[in-house]
């Protein structure tokens, strides 16, 4: 799991991904924006990931984003899955921020 960091982004990530944190739409949007920003900046941590892993990151990023684009309702039992998708989408970036 993530460790405590003075960095506000790290604290927010730790909060969002904590198993007891009730995930909300703002959390998901914040995390998707954070990942998008890291990719747009060309974060060097992404360069260390093999192409199959990058494709897996993209797959989970897209799954999460498309769920919101289509406006599909999210049920409580899906929140753990969405948290897992976000963790997969940010793989390689989350633990190192």
């Amino acid at each position: 799991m993530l460790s405590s960091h003075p960095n506000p982004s790290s604290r927010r990530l730790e909060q969002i991904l904590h198993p007891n944190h009730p995930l909300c739409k703002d959390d998901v949007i914040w995390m998707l924006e954070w990942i998008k920003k890291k990719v747009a900046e060309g974060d060097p941590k992404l360069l260390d990931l093999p192409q199959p892993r990058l494709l897996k990151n993209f797959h989970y990023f897209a799954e999460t984003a498309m769920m919101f684009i289509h406006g599909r309702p999210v049920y409580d039992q899906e929140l753990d899955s969405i948290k897992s998708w976000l963790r997969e989408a940010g793989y390689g970036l989350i633990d190192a921020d």
Side-chain angles (χ1 to χ4, degrees):
M1 188 65 170
L2 301 170
S3 62
S4 294
H5 295 286
N7 182 322
S9 292
S10 293
R11 282 195 308 267
R12 180 86 190 258
L13 287 166
E14 187 172 355
Q15 176 189 14
I16 290 169
L17 296 174
H18 191 277
N20 295 330
H21 177 72
L23 195 62
C24 70
K25 182 178 179 179
D26 288 342
D27 291 335
V28 175
I29 292 170
W30 181 89
M31 189 150 174
L32 290 173
E33 288 285 342
W34 179 81
I35 293 168
K36 182 184 82 164
K37 179 179 177 257
K38 292 290 189 177
V39 171
E41 291 172 348
D43 192 302
K45 293 174 225 102
L46 292 171
L47 300 175
D48 293 336
L49 298 177
Q51 187 178 17
R53 181 63 240 191
L54 288 171
L55 291 172
K56 191 171 184 177
N57 284 30
F58 175 74
H59 169 81
Y60 285 103
F61 181 91
E63 285 289 333
T64 306
M66 292 303 292
M67 181 186 63
F68 279 94
I69 288 170
H70 290 296
R72 187 174 72 72
V74 176
Y75 301 99
D76 287 343
Q77 64 268 26
E78 294 177 301
L79 293 177
D80 287 338
S81 294
I82 294 168
K83 236 179 238 199
S84 176
W85 294 356
L86 290 171
R87 184 178 272 94
E88 291 291 336
Y91 182 91
L93 293 170
I94 293 171
D95 295 329
D97 189 48

